Amino acid sequence: MTFLSIFIIALALSLDAFGVALSIGLNCRIKIINKIYFLLSFAFFQFLFAFIGAYSGTIFNKYVTCIPSIVGGAIVAMVGVMMIKNGMEGKEGYLLLNPKMYVILGISVSIDALIVGFTALSAIGNIIILMESSLFIGLVTLILTFIAFIISKFLHRIEFICKYADYIGGIILVILGLKMMFWT
C-alpha cells in the first residue's frame, strides 16, 4: 500500500472527527483543556481502531461492515440531540464537559477505522508497517481535529454563532450522525 493510499484513508477517516470537533469548538464553554482531551481521544481511538481492525484481518468483514457506521452514527446523533436539549433548557452543567464524553465521542468517530483496518489495512501484513500506518492515521486525525478547533475559535467570535452554539453544534452532530448511519 502506497503512502498516498494511506494518506487518503487517513483523511477520509479523520473527517468525522473534524466535523465533531468543529461543532464542539463552537461552544464558548469548551475550554482549551477540554479541546486537548477531545483531540487526544479522537487521535488515539483512530489509531487504536485502525490497528485492531487491521491486525484482526478480514475474517469478520462479511458480517460486520454496516454495524460500526450505524452504531457510531447513532451515538453522534444522540449527542447532537442532547446538545440541542441542553441549549433549550439552558443548563449550566454542560454535556460535553463530562469526562466520559471524551471516550464516547472518541470511539464513535473512530469506529469506521475498525472496518478500514479489516478491509484495507489488513493487506499490509507486516506488523511494523501496520503500526506505522495506524500511527499515521492517528496523527492525521490529531492535525485535522486541531485545525477544526482553530476554525471554530474564529467562528465563535461571531456573536450569533456563540449565542446559538448548542443548537448549531447539535444540528451538525445530528446531520453527521445520520450521514454516518445512512450514507457511508
Side-chain angles (χ1 to χ4, degrees), residues 66-86:
C66 65
I67 294 171
S69 296
I70 293 170
V71 171
I75 292 170
V76 170
M78 286 187 327
V79 170
V81 169
M82 292 166 62
M83 282 178 67
I84 294 169
K85 183 181 173 202
N86 275 357

Side-chain angles (χ1 to χ4, degrees), residues 5-16:
S5 300
I6 302 272
F7 182 68
I8 291 170
I9 289 170
L11 282 177
L13 290 174
S14 300
L15 289 179
D16 291 344

Side-chain angles (χ1 to χ4, degrees), residues 53-112:
Y55 191 71
S56 299
T58 59
I59 297 170
F60 300 103
N61 186 33
K62 182 177 179 182
Y63 303 105
V64 294
T65 55
C66 65
I67 294 171
S69 296
I70 293 170
V71 171
I75 292 170
V76 170
M78 286 187 327
V79 170
V81 169
M82 292 166 62
M83 282 178 67
I84 294 169
K85 183 181 173 202
N86 275 357
M88 291 174 139
E89 294 173 355
K91 288 187 175 180
E92 290 300 317
Y94 191 58
L95 171 73
L96 292 174
L97 297 178
N98 184 338
K100 295 176 191 169
M101 292 308 293
Y102 305 126
V103 174
I104 291 170
L105 284 175
I107 290 172
S108 67
V109 300
S110 302
I111 288 177
D112 55 347

Side-chain angles (χ1 to χ4, degrees), residues 151-166:
I151 292 170
S152 66
K153 180 180 176 181
F154 291 107
L155 288 176
H156 78 65
R157 288 183 183 169
I158 302 169
E159 187 177 326
F160 173 81
I161 290 176
C162 194
K163 183 176 179 182
Y164 296 106
D166 284 336

